[in-house]
Amino acid sequence: MWKTAIEDAIQKTKQNIETHGALFPHITQGSALKSYEWGENNDWIEGFYTGMAWLAYEYSKDPFFREEAGKQTADYRRRLDRKVSLDHHDIGFLYNPSAIACWMITKDESAKKLALDAADHLLTRWRPRGRYIQAWGPEGDEENGGRIIIDCLMNLPLLYWASEQTGDPKYRDIAALHADKSRRYLVRGDDSSYHTFYFNQENGLPVRGGTHQGYHDGSTWTRGQAWGIYGFALSYRYTGDPLYLETSRRLARYFVERLPEDHVVYWDFDVEPAPDTYRDSSASAIAACGLLELIGHLSEDDPDRSYFQEAVERSMKSLVDNYSTIGQPKAEGLLEHGSYYIRGNRGPDDYIIWGDYYYLEALIRMETGRTAYWYER
Ligand code: GLY
């Protein structure tokens, strides 16, 4: 069953590259047209599209994907050198599935150098006074200078990897300090999570939790919870610190216990479900990858193993049966009903490129039992 879905995903990825050449899919305002909006490599999301091409190559060995993914990856050098829209922390989202993927698959030293340069760029966002990586905007920014967001956990593997490659502990130390800060302030006592947390920029003291894309400041944004499951499991992969594994497990239990009847989450756990409440299929795809990563670190006799495994299988089956575009050969997206930013009315019910990416990654993990190359040590 996973195989058919993978083949459909790979065929659509090829079709998109053939149709749109060097352009990248952007966030749109609805997938009713069955298409993405296409543009330059200038947002935080392009790495997912390049990552899909590398995943497709890894799985199919079709040289088309190696060639095209390689061409796309070269564009991230131009972007880094000119600092095109890189005033944010999503450098791992951009450079893991492009530069690290390229290096791991082709052993091209210039791709390795590109990823290391990207890691250095991410370090410029470290704020020693508060000991966190600033999420958005320039240093000292009134609104965002003291802000972290849970999504950043997914950028940390770039730093862990950079320490392993260079032997310089500074990247890993900063990543672990940021993960610690996230664990302490973003994860709440009942295992739910804040999307974002603010610190005083002058003295680094905690101010308050909040949200950007969630329902309200104290709610649990489902995609944020999914980033947390996967992000803490990846911090465990690189550091072996059992606190990260335990945190991933706690967030995972909270997520799985609240799955609705069709096993694909609404956009926020605190929204009252109604027939027209939006889902976020991308959150379920990310959580599936996170749960599979977490399961891989649990001992054989851990009772949570089968609990999480069954949850992943039910969610993935529902994504394939009820949310995928299988049977729509011209569709550009793989998953319908992703939600980017509901309260901002951006992409409230849409194709979402990271939803497509994590859906494909989860399918390949399920089918072959292996992780994506660029998270390997
Ligand atoms: N990292 C931003 C988001 O998940 O929408």
Side-chain angles (χ1 to χ4, degrees):
M1 149 177 204
W2 312 124
K3 217 167 170 207
T4 312
I6 294 169
E7 281 161 9
D8 179 74
I10 289 179
Q11 178 267 322
K12 285 184 173 126
T13 303
K14 190 171 208 171
Q15 183 169 278
N16 283 340
I17 296 171
E18 284 170 345
T19 308
H20 298 286
L23 298 178
F24 292 83
H26 281 197
I27 287 156
T28 63
Q29 294 293 349
S31 55
L33 298 175
K34 303 290 171 211
S35 58
Y36 274 110
E37 277 171 16
W38 295 84
E40 305 287 310
N41 184 359
N42 60 10
D43 206 330
W44 66 276
I45 58 176
E46 287 76 9
F48 301 113
Y49 185 57
T50 306
M52 288 173 75
W54 285 120
L55 276 183
Y57 176 68
E58 185 191 4
Y59 183 84
S60 68
K61 297 290 178 289
D62 178 345
F64 169 87
F65 289 112
R66 184 177 164 131
E67 169 84 17
E68 295 297 326
K71 277 196 243 162
Q72 283 185 25
T73 300
D75 195 50
Y76 293 80
R77 166 52 76 190
R78 175 197 63 82
R79 187 168 171 180
L80 187 63
D81 289 349
R82 295 187 195 169
K83 300 284 179 292
V84 178
S85 307
L86 293 181
D87 208 0
H88 57 74
H89 64 159
D90 284 330
I91 309 304
F93 277 136
L94 288 167
Y95 285 86
N96 266 66
S98 57
I100 295 184
C102 181
W103 177 69
M104 292 192 99
I105 290 172
T106 68
K107 294 294 163 212
D108 175 351
E109 285 294 320
S110 67
K112 179 176 176 182
K113 170 89 171 57
L114 174 58
L116 290 173
D117 291 347
D120 282 329
H121 179 70
L122 182 51
L123 285 193
T124 66
R125 305 197 65 79
W126 172 245
R127 304 290 172 253
R129 244 175 299 186
R131 293 156 81 88
Y132 57 80
I133 294 171
Q134 181 184 332
W136 297 323
E139 185 163 11
D141 184 81
E142 206 181 322
E143 163 69 5
N144 291 314
R147 190 175 202 175
I148 65 171
I149 68 171
I150 197 162
D151 324 25
C152 189
L153 291 158
M154 296 298 290
N155 293 311
L156 304 183
L158 176 64
L159 299 180
Y160 293 126
W161 173 88
S163 271
E164 290 189 342
Q165 296 305 317
T166 60
D168 184 339
K170 72 180 174 195
Y171 306 94
R172 174 198 157 108
D173 290 349
I174 283 177
L177 285 168
H178 184 84
D180 293 343
K181 186 104 332 188
S182 303
R183 201 177 69 77
R184 178 149 180 213
Y185 292 102
L186 291 170
V187 180
R188 294 183 286 233
D190 65 353
D191 304 341
S192 65
S193 56
Y194 284 118
H195 178 199
T196 131
F197 203 96
Y198 294 90
F199 298 90
N200 180 308
Q201 294 185 59
E202 303 307 318
N203 57 24
L205 290 175
V207 178
R208 69 172 179 93
T211 196
H212 178 61
Q213 281 146 287
Y215 184 38
H216 59 73
D217 279 342
S219 75
T220 302
W221 180 49
T222 50
R223 191 158 71 248
Q225 189 86 4
W227 291 135
I229 297 168
Y230 201 177
F232 281 111
L234 288 171
S235 271
Y236 176 73
R237 173 186 278 269
Y238 283 97
T239 65
D241 184 336
L243 277 177
Y244 299 147
L245 190 65
E246 211 37 45
T247 308
S248 173
R249 185 203 296 265
R250 286 169 50 202
L251 294 170
R253 283 204 192 117
Y254 188 96
F255 193 100
V256 170
E257 278 161 15
R258 286 162 182 75
L259 285 172
E261 253 172 46
D262 78 348
H263 312 289
V264 172
V265 287
Y266 294 98
W267 65 282
D268 191 294
F269 283 119
D270 293 282
V271 172
E272 197 58 53
D276 59 353
T277 302
Y278 291 119
R279 306 272 173 169
D280 183 7
S281 55
S282 78
S284 278
I286 296 160
C289 290
L291 288 168
L292 290 167
E293 177 71 25
L294 170 61
I295 291 165
H297 300 299
L298 299 179
S299 63
E300 287 298 326
D301 57 354
D302 191 307
D304 276 343
R305 272 184 86 95
S306 55
Y307 177 59
F308 291 148
Q309 186 68 38
E310 282 160 24
V312 175
E313 282 174 22
R314 283 196 296 266
S315 291
M316 286 304 293
K317 183 164 174 355
S318 185
L319 287 177
V320 171
D321 291 347
N322 308 320
Y323 292 79
S324 82
T325 56
I326 293 174
Q328 303 174 41
K330 294 289 166 217
E332 292 185 344
L334 304 182
L335 281 186
E336 297 184 325
H337 310 305
S339 294
Y340 180 45
Y341 181 18
I342 302 267
R343 287 182 305 110
N345 195 30
R346 284 198 72 198
D349 184 28
D350 208 352
Y351 292 151
I352 298 277
I353 192 62
W354 60 87
D356 290 357
Y357 169 83
Y358 288 105
Y359 169 70
L360 179 58
E361 183 185 306
L363 288 169
I364 292 177
R365 279 176 177 263
M366 305 277 284
E367 177 65 22
T368 67
R370 79 184 307 305
T371 179
Y373 271 128
W374 37 100
Y375 293 128
E376 277 186 354
R377 303 190 57 187

